[in-house]
Structures are given as structure tokens and as C-alpha cells.
Amino acid sequence: GRVSGGSVLHSPPGDRTSDTTASAVTLIGSRHIARRLEFYGALDVAIESVDDDEGEDFTTVHLVPGIEYAINDDLDFIAEAGFSLNDKGSHYVSVGLSYYIR
């Protein structure tokens, strides 16, 4: 198994976007459960600050289990579900492909 983490701070540029600043921290743990299949779980915390007349600051917290299946050496199928742990977040399901350029 592996444990990793990451963080990000962003603010969208341009005149047509909201004045927002967001930061997020994610902790991820993963473990191979078969030769080509990996299970992972993440805890994601995001804090967003909105700087306008109607905006309010908010925090979202998600628990995210998922799988990653290696189709070949350069292509993986990924599926995950995000479960909001507070009122400001939304539940979601996501599927996709991950292509690795080596």
C-alpha cells in the first residue's frame, strides 16, 4: 500500500470569473488488490473564499473511494464516488481514463 497527499491553491483569472480563492488538501491511500486492480481512498478538504457582495466562504469535505484498473502499461480505467461529509459539498460519481506519457 501507499499513502500520499497533495495540496493546491488557485484563483481563476479574468474579468468574467468570480473573485474566488480556493485551497484544498487531499490525503490518499491505495493498495493493489489484484495484479491490474488498485483500490484507493481519499479524504479531500477544500476551502473556498468568495469576494463579492453575495458570496460566502465555505468548506467542503469528501470521502472518495475508487478503483484503478490497468488496461495496459499506458492506459488505466478509473472510477470513483465522492461522498460529501458536510452540507456544502455534493455527492458525485466519476469515471474516466488515465493515459500516461512516458
Side-chain angles (χ1 to χ4, degrees):
R2 295 182 298 204
V3 176
S4 61
S7 64
V8 65
L9 174 66
H10 64 87
S11 182
D15 294 336
R16 296 182 181 201
T17 61
S18 302
D19 285 335
T20 62
T21 302
S23 60
V25 175
T26 305
L27 296 174
I28 305 166
S30 64
R31 181 170 193 85
H32 277 89
I33 55 177
R35 188 172 72 83
R36 292 181 170 262
L37 184 62
E38 185 174 7
F39 172 79
Y40 63 88
L43 179 64
D44 180 66
V45 178
I47 301 166
E48 188 157 347
S49 175
V50 181
D51 187 21
D52 65 13
D53 294 337
E54 299 174 19
E56 67 178 55
D57 298 348
F58 61 93
T59 300
T60 60
V61 181
H62 288 89
L63 181 63
V64 185
I67 60 165
E68 187 169 349
Y69 179 78
I71 297 169
N72 61 41
D73 288 343
D74 298 323
L75 186 65
D76 290 353
F77 170 78
I78 299 171
E80 66 182 37
F83 299 97
S84 177
L85 300 179
N86 66 353
D87 291 341
K88 292 294 184 178
S90 299
H91 304 303
Y92 67 87
V93 174
S94 175
V95 296
L97 297 173
S98 181
Y99 181 73
Y100 299 94
I101 300 171
R102 302 176 199 262

